[in-house]
Amino acid sequence: MLELDNINLVTDPLAARYVKDETVSVAFAREPGELISLEGPNRYAPGDALISGATGSRWVVSRDRFDAKYAALPPTPPGEDGCYRARPLPVLARQIAEPFTALRSAGGDRLYGKAGDWLLQYAPGDFGIAENARFVQVYRKID
């Protein structure tokens, strides 16, 4: 299995910029815990967003990053459980041809991708993995 560490998709000629087009359901964690996504464990702290996507996938976004990435949809008040829309923020993405692993963040959870899944870079040192079927449903290329 390919282990991807110290990744920087900015310098990868096979990476491109994409935006997410998705409405999600959000519940804010009341206590610490762990959510098991398709790609592996996502540990969370109180206040972090536990997200269920349009394709049934689940993942965690830390509370300090959530507001920059998602906007509440009426009648949901910002910061409360309910429906949110992904903000059209560019991410770098690259499809990986073989099974692989990557750290979600420095010292964070190790995620696992299957052949054909996508490695996403949200910011330096901040990564995710999207299953190919989900990726083609909710991301669109902007370059």
Side-chain angles (χ1 to χ4, degrees), residues 9-24:
L9 293 181
V10 171
T11 60
D12 188 328
L14 297 178
R17 291 169 17 111
Y18 293 82
V19 292
K20 185 190 299 187
D21 183 14
E22 182 177 35
T23 297
V24 298

PDB file of all heavy atoms in Angstrom, residues 9-24:
ATOM      1  N   LEU A   9       0.325  18.928  -2.706  1.00  0.00           N
ATOM      2  CA  LEU A   9      -0.248  18.855  -4.045  1.00  0.00           C
ATOM      3  C   LEU A   9      -0.027  20.119  -4.861  1.00  0.00           C
ATOM      4  O   LEU A   9      -0.219  20.105  -6.074  1.00  0.00           O
ATOM      5  CB  LEU A   9      -1.741  18.522  -3.963  1.00  0.00           C
ATOM      6  CG  LEU A   9      -2.093  17.131  -3.440  1.00  0.00           C
ATOM      7  CD1 LEU A   9      -3.604  16.928  -3.435  1.00  0.00           C
ATOM      8  CD2 LEU A   9      -1.409  16.040  -4.246  1.00  0.00           C
ATOM      9  N   VAL A  10       0.405  21.202  -4.228  1.00  0.00           N
ATOM     10  CA  VAL A  10       0.696  22.446  -4.965  1.00  0.00           C
ATOM     11  C   VAL A  10       1.752  22.201  -6.028  1.00  0.00           C
ATOM     12  O   VAL A  10       1.699  22.771  -7.114  1.00  0.00           O
ATOM     13  CB  VAL A  10       1.149  23.556  -3.983  1.00  0.00           C
ATOM     14  CG1 VAL A  10       1.661  24.774  -4.719  1.00  0.00           C
ATOM     15  CG2 VAL A  10       0.014  23.933  -3.046  1.00  0.00           C
ATOM     16  N   THR A  11       2.703  21.331  -5.740  1.00  0.00           N
ATOM     17  CA  THR A  11       3.798  21.071  -6.676  1.00  0.00           C
ATOM     18  C   THR A  11       3.574  19.814  -7.515  1.00  0.00           C
ATOM     19  O   THR A  11       4.449  19.424  -8.278  1.00  0.00           O
ATOM     20  CB  THR A  11       5.125  20.927  -5.905  1.00  0.00           C
ATOM     21  OG1 THR A  11       5.012  19.842  -4.979  1.00  0.00           O
ATOM     22  CG2 THR A  11       5.462  22.211  -5.155  1.00  0.00           C
ATOM     23  N   ASP A  12       2.412  19.200  -7.407  1.00  0.00           N
ATOM     24  CA  ASP A  12       2.122  17.961  -8.124  1.00  0.00           C
ATOM     25  C   ASP A  12       1.463  18.282  -9.464  1.00  0.00           C
ATOM     26  O   ASP A  12       0.345  18.816  -9.508  1.00  0.00           O
ATOM     27  CB  ASP A  12       1.202  17.086  -7.270  1.00  0.00           C
ATOM     28  CG  ASP A  12       1.001  15.702  -7.845  1.00  0.00           C
ATOM     29  OD1 ASP A  12       1.013  15.541  -9.084  1.00  0.00           O
ATOM     30  OD2 ASP A  12       0.814  14.764  -7.052  1.00  0.00           O
ATOM     31  N   PRO A  13       2.094  17.945 -10.582  1.00  0.00           N
ATOM     32  CA  PRO A  13       1.511  18.274 -11.890  1.00  0.00           C
ATOM     33  C   PRO A  13       0.225  17.502 -12.200  1.00  0.00           C
ATOM     34  O   PRO A  13      -0.521  17.891 -13.100  1.00  0.00           O
ATOM     35  CB  PRO A  13       2.621  17.909 -12.883  1.00  0.00           C
ATOM     36  CG  PRO A  13       3.472  16.924 -12.158  1.00  0.00           C
ATOM     37  CD  PRO A  13       3.391  17.274 -10.699  1.00  0.00           C
ATOM     38  N   LEU A  14      -0.065  16.440 -11.450  1.00  0.00           N
ATOM     39  CA  LEU A  14      -1.283  15.671 -11.686  1.00  0.00           C
ATOM     40  C   LEU A  14      -2.459  16.158 -10.833  1.00  0.00           C
ATOM     41  O   LEU A  14      -3.572  15.660 -10.973  1.00  0.00           O
ATOM     42  CB  LEU A  14      -1.024  14.184 -11.412  1.00  0.00           C
ATOM     43  CG  LEU A  14       0.022  13.535 -12.324  1.00  0.00           C
ATOM     44  CD1 LEU A  14       0.236  12.081 -11.927  1.00  0.00           C
ATOM     45  CD2 LEU A  14      -0.377  13.650 -13.782  1.00  0.00           C
ATOM     46  N   ALA A  15      -2.218  17.133  -9.979  1.00  0.00           N
ATOM     47  CA  ALA A  15      -3.290  17.691  -9.141  1.00  0.00           C
ATOM     48  C   ALA A  15      -3.964  18.853  -9.865  1.00  0.00           C
ATOM     49  O   ALA A  15      -3.354  19.532 -10.690  1.00  0.00           O
ATOM     50  CB  ALA A  15      -2.713  18.160  -7.808  1.00  0.00           C
ATOM     51  N   ALA A  16      -5.229  19.064  -9.530  1.00  0.00           N
ATOM     52  CA  ALA A  16      -5.988  20.185 -10.106  1.00  0.00           C
ATOM     53  C   ALA A  16      -6.884  20.775  -9.019  1.00  0.00           C
ATOM     54  O   ALA A  16      -7.079  20.172  -7.964  1.00  0.00           O
ATOM     55  CB  ALA A  16      -6.827  19.717 -11.291  1.00  0.00           C
ATOM     56  N   ARG A  17      -7.439  21.948  -9.310  1.00  0.00           N
ATOM     57  CA  ARG A  17      -8.310  22.641  -8.344  1.00  0.00           C
ATOM     58  C   ARG A  17      -9.773  22.283  -8.610  1.00  0.00           C
ATOM     59  O   ARG A  17     -10.217  22.283  -9.755  1.00  0.00           O
ATOM     60  CB  ARG A  17      -8.101  24.148  -8.444  1.00  0.00           C
ATOM     61  CG  ARG A  17      -6.740  24.557  -7.935  1.00  0.00           C
ATOM     62  CD  ARG A  17      -6.341  25.990  -8.245  1.00  0.00           C
ATOM     63  NE  ARG A  17      -7.371  26.900  -8.625  1.00  0.00           N
ATOM     64  CZ  ARG A  17      -7.803  27.933  -7.885  1.00  0.00           C
ATOM     65  NH1 ARG A  17      -7.262  28.176  -6.724  1.00  0.00           N
ATOM     66  NH2 ARG A  17      -8.749  28.740  -8.334  1.00  0.00           N
ATOM     67  N   TYR A  18     -10.486  22.010  -7.512  1.00  0.00           N
ATOM     68  CA  TYR A  18     -11.900  21.643  -7.559  1.00  0.00           C
ATOM     69  C   TYR A  18     -12.646  22.390  -6.460  1.00  0.00           C
ATOM     70  O   TYR A  18     -12.038  22.847  -5.489  1.00  0.00           O
ATOM     71  CB  TYR A  18     -12.081  20.137  -7.311  1.00  0.00           C
ATOM     72  CG  TYR A  18     -11.536  19.256  -8.398  1.00  0.00           C
ATOM     73  CD1 TYR A  18     -10.178  18.936  -8.455  1.00  0.00           C
ATOM     74  CD2 TYR A  18     -12.371  18.725  -9.376  1.00  0.00           C
ATOM     75  CE1 TYR A  18      -9.671  18.117  -9.454  1.00  0.00           C
ATOM     76  CE2 TYR A  18     -11.871  17.903 -10.382  1.00  0.00           C
ATOM     77  CZ  TYR A  18     -10.523  17.610 -10.408  1.00  0.00           C
ATOM     78  OH  TYR A  18     -10.033  16.803 -11.397  1.00  0.00           O
ATOM     79  N   VAL A  19     -13.968  22.496  -6.612  1.00  0.00           N
ATOM     80  CA  VAL A  19     -14.824  22.998  -5.540  1.00  0.00           C
ATOM     81  C   VAL A  19     -15.921  21.972  -5.279  1.00  0.00           C
ATOM     82  O   VAL A  19     -16.353  21.255  -6.184  1.00  0.00           O
ATOM     83  CB  VAL A  19     -15.455  24.380  -5.830  1.00  0.00           C
ATOM     84  CG1 VAL A  19     -14.404  25.470  -5.866  1.00  0.00           C
ATOM     85  CG2 VAL A  19     -16.276  24.362  -7.089  1.00  0.00           C
ATOM     86  N   LYS A  20     -16.359  21.956  -4.016  1.00  0.00           N
ATOM     87  CA  LYS A  20     -17.429  21.055  -3.600  1.00  0.00           C
ATOM     88  C   LYS A  20     -18.769  21.760  -3.793  1.00  0.00           C
ATOM     89  O   LYS A  20     -18.921  22.926  -3.459  1.00  0.00           O
ATOM     90  CB  LYS A  20     -17.249  20.693  -2.129  1.00  0.00           C
ATOM     91  CG  LYS A  20     -18.253  19.667  -1.638  1.00  0.00           C
ATOM     92  CD  LYS A  20     -18.225  19.476  -0.130  1.00  0.00           C
ATOM     93  CE  LYS A  20     -16.917  18.995   0.377  1.00  0.00           C
ATOM     94  NZ  LYS A  20     -16.978  18.652   1.823  1.00  0.00           N
ATOM     95  N   ASP A  21     -19.747  21.043  -4.323  1.00  0.00           N
ATOM     96  CA  ASP A  21     -21.097  21.556  -4.518  1.00  0.00           C
ATOM     97  C   ASP A  21     -22.031  20.592  -3.791  1.00  0.00           C
ATOM     98  O   ASP A  21     -22.489  19.601  -4.368  1.00  0.00           O
ATOM     99  CB  ASP A  21     -21.415  21.624  -6.008  1.00  0.00           C
ATOM    100  CG  ASP A  21     -22.769  22.226  -6.290  1.00  0.00           C
ATOM    101  OD1 ASP A  21     -23.365  22.845  -5.377  1.00  0.00           O
ATOM    102  OD2 ASP A  21     -23.262  22.050  -7.416  1.00  0.00           O
ATOM    103  N   GLU A  22     -22.311  20.889  -2.491  1.00  0.00           N
ATOM    104  CA  GLU A  22     -23.048  19.917  -1.681  1.00  0.00           C
ATOM    105  C   GLU A  22     -23.741  20.591  -0.496  1.00  0.00           C
ATOM    106  O   GLU A  22     -23.189  21.486   0.130  1.00  0.00           O
ATOM    107  CB  GLU A  22     -22.076  18.854  -1.156  1.00  0.00           C
ATOM    108  CG  GLU A  22     -22.712  17.771  -0.337  1.00  0.00           C
ATOM    109  CD  GLU A  22     -21.728  16.699   0.103  1.00  0.00           C
ATOM    110  OE1 GLU A  22     -20.561  17.020   0.381  1.00  0.00           O
ATOM    111  OE2 GLU A  22     -22.134  15.539   0.162  1.00  0.00           O
ATOM    112  N   THR A  23     -24.948  20.129  -0.202  1.00  0.00           N
ATOM    113  CA  THR A  23     -25.647  20.476   1.026  1.00  0.00           C
ATOM    114  C   THR A  23     -25.499  19.294   1.971  1.00  0.00           C
ATOM    115  O   THR A  23     -25.654  18.137   1.552  1.00  0.00           O
ATOM    116  CB  THR A  23     -27.134  20.760   0.750  1.00  0.00           C
ATOM    117  OG1 THR A  23     -27.217  21.892  -0.122  1.00  0.00           O
ATOM    118  CG2 THR A  23     -27.893  21.051   2.024  1.00  0.00           C
ATOM    119  N   VAL A  24     -25.172  19.586   3.239  1.00  0.00           N
ATOM    120  CA  VAL A  24     -24.902  18.537   4.222  1.00  0.00           C
ATOM    121  C   VAL A  24     -25.756  18.737   5.466  1.00  0.00           C
ATOM    122  O   VAL A  24     -26.276  19.821   5.719  1.00  0.00           O
ATOM    123  CB  VAL A  24     -23.405  18.524   4.612  1.00  0.00           C
ATOM    124  CG1 VAL A  24     -22.524  18.225   3.403  1.00  0.00           C
ATOM    125  CG2 VAL A  24     -22.982  19.830   5.272  1.00  0.00           C
TER     126      VAL A  24
END
